Amino acid sequence: KKRIRARADFMMCHSSYGTRMVLLTTLCLQSFAVRHEHESSLDAGTDNGCDANDVLCKIRSKMVHARFECQVGQGQAYKAFDESADNSFEACGLRCLSEPKCVAFDWNSDENSGHVYVTLNLTEIWVNDACRLFKPNRPRLGFSMWGRQYCNRLAPQLIKLSTTTTPLAATFSTTASLEEEEVPVIVPFVPPSTTEIPLVPPAPPPPIPEVVPVVHPPAPEGHNNCDALDERVRILKALLELHSIAIPKGSRGVRSFSQITGRCLEIIEKLQEVEDALDKIDSDGKGKILEALEDLKGNVQKQKKRLELQNQMDEMTNELMLDRGQLRAELRELQEEALKMMPAPKERLTMQQLFQKIDDFILEDPDLLSKFRAMNPCMPAALQGMQRRAFTPLLKIVLYVIISKPPWNFLQDNPWMTDEGLHLAIDEALAGKAAYVKGLSHGLAIPRLSEVKSQAYEEIVNVQTQVFNQTRGWIKPWNSGTTCNGDKKP
């Protein structure tokens, strides 16, 4: 399925630094290891990722290539009866050959390919779908946004095995005639002759050669302490950390921050391609249907053609929308993970400092100021329930804008986070979801938003703030006395 080719750059140093040599060799082997994605090929003469001496692998690869005919495309939407993470042609082909009802499969080399499946009890599970098996279906050929190939299963090619003595290689010949009939030759058993062999005394063993101690050359000038090797070890360690292999979804392991954000950028780009494709179908689809109907005569023919083209458009739209949902689900998970790993600012805001920033921001925005001042901090506490419910959506808006502007500039400085993703993160953090609460608190160096939400109403809808300060234009109800939020009680 995959192959690792490794080479090592061996360096000589004084024998007293053997430990460094072992470490350097190991790091070299790891740093130069590369993963080769399989490219589909029908050429049975290639080794298809097999080692030079792995005969069984070559035979298996040639057998799979001989049984399928492939082209760019994918199977009919929602018609796959089996999905798996086998992201190579050979692995997916062998899976199809093991299923009698499989007549075709499509595959891609993306190890993270998959989608979210909602069970009957509304539980979301991740399903890998790099390899999809199909019964008879209507494939969509000639185009695939995700690099899929659609492979039709061919009828098996019968091979005749001769009953006479032939070389082993001849038994794998695909050109043997099926019409010839050969009768096996029965040879009677003849016991071997038993002639006496004179005993000869064994030859004396060869003399043991004298062991000559190996003398290593002295270390080159300037390398007496293996400084160059230590520096190379440091560089290779940094390269390994920078180019570490991404862990597929659902497997155990640790992904680096750069890997996660890089994958986020790839998904954002793919989402834009999906949106563009949906817009194109929506804008050009009706026009193409009308063009196809111009040369037809008769209402019945036109109606049949219209329904056929409309069904094709609906299938393409449904497939793209399914892909969009899967990409958005993966992007949300990656953004949540990135929030917890992103480097935090040096200075951390206290709760009171955050409320002061919110107070200043509301005062500078006339629309928000009017909405907040529609609330009455002097209303009896028992009657403020409706105000509290209206306060939470306003708080979300304020937090989103504050985080997006200086000094954070969160969206501008972090292109892996989308506008939708930041809205979701704030909503989930205010709702108390632990992952987003910790992620935003760590990444922005602010108090936990679940705690901010519990105190924000009393701290902002309060006569001590600038929003509800009478010198700033707010008018206190004449009969409120000292019952307002923030009033000093007598």
Side-chain angles (χ1 to χ4, degrees):
K1 295 162 66 176
K2 291 184 181 177
R3 157 175 74 168
I4 296 178
R5 294 176 179 171
R7 61 186 177 86
D9 182 17
F10 292 98
M11 299 178 64
M12 291 299 297
C13 189
H14 197 270
S15 59
S16 61
Y17 303 102
T19 303
R20 287 186 174 86
M21 286 298 300
V22 172
L23 176 59
L24 175 61
T25 303
T26 304
L27 289 171
C28 286
L29 287 169
Q30 295 180 22
S31 64
F32 287 110
V34 292
R35 300 181 303 161
H36 293 270
E37 298 293 347
H38 174 77
E39 297 181 359
S40 179
S41 170
L42 297 181
D43 182 8
T46 58
D47 62 0
N48 295 295
C50 298
D51 294 332
N53 298 323
D54 195 343
V55 179
L56 291 178
C57 177
K58 292 183 178 180
I59 294 174
R60 182 170 60 250
S61 176
K62 292 178 181 179
M63 178 192 71
V64 175
H65 279 88
R67 292 298 304 276
F68 293 96
E69 185 177 34
C70 299
Q71 58 182 306
V72 175
Q74 52 192 348
Q76 184 176 350
Y78 313 111
K79 291 298 183 180
F81 71 87
D82 182 74
E83 298 174 325
S84 68
D86 297 314
N87 61 330
S88 70
F89 171 80
E90 284 85 359
C92 196
L94 288 173
R95 191 177 186 89
C96 181
L97 291 175
S98 66
E99 288 284 352
K101 56 186 177 182
C102 177
V103 301
F105 69 89
D106 67 15
W107 72 282
N108 65 17
S109 58
D110 185 2
E111 60 185 7
N112 293 318
S113 179
H115 60 88
V116 175
Y117 174 75
V118 181
T119 61
L120 294 177
N121 59 357
L122 301 182
T123 302
E124 292 186 354
I125 60 175
W126 181 260
V127 179
N128 293 302
D129 65 358
C131 172
R132 303 188 298 192
L133 308 187
F134 294 90
K135 298 177 183 178
N137 68 104
R138 291 187 299 170
R140 297 159 291 172
L141 304 176
F143 170 79
S144 175
M145 183 174 293
W146 313 118
R148 287 189 176 272
Q149 284 200 338
Y150 182 80
C151 301
N152 270 316
R153 184 171 179 175
L154 304 177
Q157 187 174 7
L158 298 179
I159 301 173
K160 178 174 176 60
L161 301 179
S162 175
T163 55
T164 59
T165 304
T166 56
L168 179 60
T171 63
F172 293 100
S173 172
T174 59
T175 60
S177 173
L178 299 180
E179 298 179 357
E180 299 176 1
E181 292 187 1
E182 300 180 9
V183 180
V185 179
I186 302 176
V187 181
F189 173 74
V190 178
S193 60
T194 56
T195 56
E196 293 186 1
I197 301 175
L199 297 178
V200 179
I208 300 175
E210 182 180 357
V211 178
V212 180
V214 179
V215 179
H216 293 277
E221 185 178 356
H223 293 262
N224 294 331
N225 296 323
C226 279
D227 296 335
L229 286 180
D230 289 340
E231 177 65 15
R232 187 168 177 79
V233 167
R234 186 191 65 77
I235 294 173
L236 288 174
K237 282 184 176 180
L239 286 174
L240 285 174
E241 182 178 354
L242 180 62
H243 301 291
S244 56
I245 295 174
I247 304 300
K249 184 179 180 65
S251 60
R252 298 189 177 185
V254 179
R255 290 180 286 190
S256 67
F257 179 73
S258 60
Q259 289 173 342
I260 295 173
T261 54
R263 177 62 179 165
C264 286
L265 294 175
E266 291 177 5
I267 294 177
I268 291 172
E269 184 177 351
K270 287 185 178 181
L271 279 172
Q272 186 58 51
E273 293 176 359
V274 171
E275 293 293 346
D276 293 342
L278 287 171
D279 292 341
K280 187 173 183 180
I281 292 174
D282 187 54
S283 61
D284 301 343
K286 293 182 180 179
K288 290 184 178 179
I289 291 178
L290 293 176
E291 290 178 5
L293 298 179
E294 288 180 355
D295 299 333
L296 297 179
K297 297 180 180 180
N299 293 332
V300 176
Q301 291 183 354
K302 289 183 178 181
Q303 186 65 17
K304 287 183 178 179
K305 189 65 175 178
R306 181 183 289 108
L307 290 175
E308 179 184 349
L309 295 176
Q310 187 63 49
N311 288 334
Q312 292 178 3
M313 285 178 54
D314 292 342
E315 285 185 2
M316 292 177 63
T317 301
N318 291 335
E319 180 74 13
L320 288 171
M321 292 178 68
L322 178 63
D323 291 340
R324 182 177 63 182
Q326 295 170 0
L327 290 172
R328 284 178 174 174
E330 183 181 358
L331 182 61
R332 285 196 297 268
E333 294 181 4
L334 291 171
Q335 288 173 340
E336 175 186 333
E337 194 171 351
L339 281 172
K340 294 184 289 186
M341 299 177 64
M342 66 180 297
K346 295 181 180 179
E347 297 183 2
R348 189 172 190 84
L349 286 182
T350 64
M351 188 75 76
Q352 290 304 317
Q353 288 174 333
L354 179 60
F355 286 139
Q356 184 61 48
K357 284 184 174 292
I358 294 175
D359 191 19
D360 296 339
F361 177 77
I362 295 173
L363 198 65
E364 295 173 358
D365 191 305
D367 292 336
L368 282 175
L369 183 61
S370 62
K371 291 178 180 179
F372 274 93
R373 282 184 173 175
M375 302 179 185
N376 184 5
C378 299
M379 184 180 292
L383 303 178
Q384 294 187 27
M386 185 176 294
Q387 290 188 170
R388 288 178 179 272
R389 288 191 291 273
F391 174 82
T392 302
L394 292 176
L395 178 63
K396 292 178 182 178
I397 296 173
V398 172
L399 288 173
Y400 172 81
V401 178
I402 289 178
I403 292 172
S404 303
K405 289 186 174 183
W408 286 297
N409 289 326
F410 191 76
L411 291 176
Q412 180 179 346
D413 295 342
N414 299 280
W416 52 267
M417 176 59 75
T418 58
D419 182 82
E420 178 186 0
L422 183 56
H423 274 293
L424 175 67
I426 294 174
D427 286 347
E428 296 290 350
L430 289 174
K433 188 173 181 180
Y436 286 104
V437 170
K438 294 179 181 178
L440 287 176
S441 177
H442 167 77
L444 300 176
I446 60 176
R448 292 171 173 261
L449 291 190
S450 56
E451 299 175 4
V452 171
K453 179 183 176 182
S454 64
Q455 303 179 31
Y457 181 83
E458 284 77 10
E459 293 291 335
I460 295 174
V461 185
N462 189 306
V463 295
Q464 300 298 325
T465 63
Q466 301 177 80
V467 174
F468 294 99
N469 193 307
Q470 297 187 71
T471 61
R472 298 279 185 172
W474 181 72
I475 301 175
K476 185 176 182 179
W478 64 272
N479 60 345
S480 59
T482 58
T483 61
C484 302
N485 296 341
D487 273 338
K488 294 181 179 180
K489 308 301 178 182

